[in-house]
Amino acid sequence: MRKYRTIARIHLMHSLQYRANLLGGFAMYAMFLFVFFCLWRAIYATGAPEDYTIAQMIWYLCITELISFGTRTNVFTEIAQDVKNGQVAYQLARPYSYLGYRLSGALGGMALNFAAFGLFALLIGFCFVGPIEGFAPRTLPFGLLSLLLGILLNLLLSMCLGLTAFFLEENSGLWFIYSKLVFMLGTFLPLEFLPGWLAGIARCLPFSYVSWGPARLIVAFEWAEFARIVPLQIAWIALAAILARALYARGARRLETNGG
């Protein structure tokens, strides 16, 4: 584990060299939230939906956009490029797991962004709508646990998509589809606002547990939802990890069979 902590720390130090990138990200984040705030304020002016108050809705968007902006990583592109240019072959003889290397590097690289955008999300949320009425701080750790699980799930699914480069000449289309599914099934709209049949399908897929699950538990915590969302997140994480290992193992065997 020490070597993976070292890898994460190296990537964190590397990200510190590009702090100016945060300013552009903050501007985009604030613009997105302002547009959504104006949109939802107009919608709620005509009648409030039952599932979320306006404050809960804006905080929900603050959290889902925090996941989108604060945890951006190039892990899909890096893995795909490693496979396509043959760099992954050099990793086979190194004294660490390639998947562990990429995962720890991605976590270390996003740590600064996530912390910075987390503070910025708090500022935006309080400036736009203030605190959520009736919010219970004691439930926050459980929501944050789900948030961390959602980030890990997103990373593992991104790694799986990157590893498809072993078998596909061009796999960027898969990443495009995945990112849009995550956006539509929980980031842009809570599942409660989708048609019943579509919400039911979304609850059976991993995409909604990247952003909808954590945001739902933070802004409108319920024990019944926690008992349903978190075990499903853990199950999808386990499946994604198994799939990533299987894809890498099969790809590595193909490299060895063809002489590296």
Side-chain angles (χ1 to χ4, degrees):
M1 292 300 295
R2 182 181 300 175
K3 53 191 170 187
Y4 297 114
R5 288 197 299 269
T6 302
I7 292 168
R9 185 167 61 252
I10 290 171
H11 281 78
L12 172 60
M13 297 304 295
H14 179 73
S15 68
L16 291 173
Q17 306 303 314
Y18 300 95
R19 295 187 297 272
N21 290 344
L22 288 174
L23 298 178
F26 285 164
M28 288 293 296
Y29 181 88
M31 183 185 72
F32 269 64
L33 266 296
F34 178 74
V35 171
F36 286 141
F37 171 67
C38 294
L39 172 64
W40 285 106
R41 186 172 59 178
I43 292 174
Y44 274 79
T46 64
E50 296 181 359
D51 297 289
Y52 293 82
T53 65
I54 181 64
Q56 287 176 321
M57 189 65 228
I58 299 306
W59 276 105
Y60 177 93
L61 291 170
C62 286
I63 295 165
T64 58
E65 292 302 324
L66 164 63
I67 296 171
S68 177
F69 280 86
T71 64
R72 284 182 177 174
T73 174
N74 293 324
V75 67
F76 164 78
T77 303
E78 291 169 346
I79 291 176
Q81 288 300 319
D82 281 349
V83 173
K84 291 175 182 178
N85 62 25
Q87 185 65 31
V88 69
Y90 296 101
Q91 305 287 343
L92 296 177
R94 294 187 178 180
Y96 54 73
S97 162
Y98 175 75
L99 297 181
Y101 166 75
R102 282 301 177 196
L103 180 61
S104 57
L107 290 171
M110 72 170 57
L112 173 65
N113 270 11
F114 183 72
F117 274 97
L119 294 174
F120 194 60
L122 290 174
L123 176 63
I124 292 290
F126 278 109
C127 287
F128 281 3
V129 293
I132 299 173
E133 184 177 354
F135 176 77
R138 67 179 182 277
T139 65
L140 183 59
F142 301 101
L144 293 177
L145 170 62
S146 180
L147 179 64
L148 295 176
L149 292 174
I151 293 170
L152 180 57
L153 175 60
N154 185 47
L155 278 176
L156 289 171
L157 291 175
S158 299
M159 292 172 66
C160 289
L161 292 173
L163 290 167
T164 61
F166 278 117
F167 316 101
L168 299 173
E169 183 177 1
E170 180 52 60
N171 63 345
S172 58
L174 295 178
W175 170 255
F176 178 81
I177 294 171
Y178 168 76
S179 62
K180 298 312 173 190
L181 285 171
V182 171
F183 178 75
M184 294 304 300
L185 300 180
T187 300
F188 177 63
L189 279 176
L191 296 191
E192 291 83 358
F193 289 4
L194 298 177
W197 64 270
L198 182 56
I201 294 174
R203 287 173 181 268
C204 297
L205 299 173
F207 315 111
S208 60
Y209 298 100
V210 171
S211 57
W212 167 76
R216 175 71 169 80
L217 291 177
I218 291 175
V219 306
F221 184 87
E222 294 178 2
W223 282 110
E225 285 292 339
F226 177 83
R228 192 185 65 80
I229 290 172
V230 170
L232 283 173
Q233 285 182 304
I234 294 172
W236 281 117
I237 287 170
L239 288 173
I242 292 170
L243 178 59
R245 288 178 63 89
L247 289 170
Y248 180 72
R250 184 173 180 185
R253 285 197 299 270
R254 292 181 64 177
L255 286 175
E256 293 171 351
T257 300
N258 290 282

